[in-house]
Amino acid sequence: MSGTPRTVLVVDDERDLADMAEALFAGHGFQVRVAYSADQALALLASDGAIDALFSDIMMPGMTGLQLATTVGSLYPSIRIVLTSGYTAPALMAGMARPCHFVPKPYRIDTVVDLLRS
């Protein structure tokens, strides 16, 4: 993908964390969409062609962030993906078909923004 992402989709089943991330990204000039599950995220991606970045928690009920990243990577290969977790070691991401960036929780929003723009 060329250029800097403009619209980021934040996915986290913990509403407070998702809403906080939304405010942080908006403060850095991004348009932000929020989903509280992977299924909701996939529905938003299907209906909103402006989304060009995904920031998702890994540990979620139902479809995990890893599974979401794999699906998004195959359906929307130009979308930049950064995953986060307070529990999961990045080593679990080693087998993914498409490499994704990882930041541990608690994260610094500047770090996430830099990864999305790299």
Side-chain angles (χ1 to χ4, degrees):
M1 173 179 173
S2 61
T4 300
R6 293 178 304 279
T7 305
V8 63
L9 172 57
V10 173
V11 187
D12 198 317
D13 63 306
E14 294 186 45
R15 288 181 178 265
D16 290 345
L17 294 177
D19 295 344
M20 180 186 67
E22 176 184 21
L24 292 170
F25 279 112
H28 277 77
F30 287 90
Q31 296 295 314
V32 187
R33 309 292 185 268
V34 177
Y36 303 108
S37 71
D39 288 337
Q40 193 178 43
L42 290 172
L44 273 171
L45 284 163
S47 67
D48 188 342
I51 296 170
D52 49 11
L54 172 73
F55 179 63
S56 178
D57 187 30
I58 291 177
M59 302 302 288
M60 296 187 293
M63 181 184 288
T64 68
L66 291 171
Q67 294 166 323
L68 175 62
T70 298
T71 302
V72 170
S74 66
L75 294 175
Y76 309 96
S78 65
I79 290 180
R80 295 182 185 184
I81 301 171
V82 176
L83 299 175
T84 188
S85 178
Y87 308 102
T88 304
L92 289 177
M93 297 171 46
M96 294 183 68
R98 176 181 167 192
C100 297
H101 293 291
F102 174 84
V103 292
K105 286 182 181 178
Y107 54 82
R108 290 179 34 89
I109 192 64
D110 292 334
T111 301
V112 179
V113 169
D114 288 345
L115 289 171
L116 287 174
R117 291 181 174 157
S118 66

